[in-house]
Amino acid sequence: QLVESGGGSVQAGGSLRLSCAASGTISSNYCIIWFRQAPGKERKGVAGMNTAAPPPVYADSVKGRFTVSQDNVSKSTLYLRMDSLKPEDTAMYYCAVRGYCASGTYFADSELNHWGQGTQVTVSS
């Protein structure tokens, strides 16, 4: 089970931090992927990380602005820090988990065993 939190509304240039807390049958080592979907657009991966084998991988659209990290105390909580937000970052954001992400497969739709409920991020200009 994945529980997300942290979305909201900010002005362009602002920051938000999303959280994704994993529990239940999810293994201690896994690959977390953050996806987003704007109204009328397809879902796209923006960031992903194998918890046992960082560093994270980022989509070009967010590289240098978004950061994936793992809580140092609660290893089952992952974060997506979003800085320098732009209006085009407005979307519903989801975290998802698969066992492992091989190079080049982070943002694939396959083998996504668990999904968060989604959290809305709205960036105004």
Side-chain angles (χ1 to χ4, degrees), residues 86-106:
K86 304 175 181 179
E88 51 264 43
D89 294 319
T90 296
M92 185 71 80
Y93 283 71
Y94 300 90
C95 60
V97 164
R98 68 164 65 93
Y100 180 77
C101 292
S103 178
T105 68
Y106 279 77

Side-chain angles (χ1 to χ4, degrees), residues 25-67:
T25 60
I26 296 175
S27 169
S28 58
N29 292 319
Y30 50 89
C31 180
I32 183 167
I33 310 100
W34 291 92
F35 291 89
R36 69 184 182 189
Q37 187 167 23
K41 295 189 176 181
E42 65 179 6
R43 185 176 63 204
K44 292 186 176 181
V46 295
M49 184 177 78
N50 286 306
T51 59
V57 169
Y58 300 98
D60 288 343
S61 59
V62 306
K63 199 171 293 183
R65 300 188 298 120
F66 288 15
T67 305

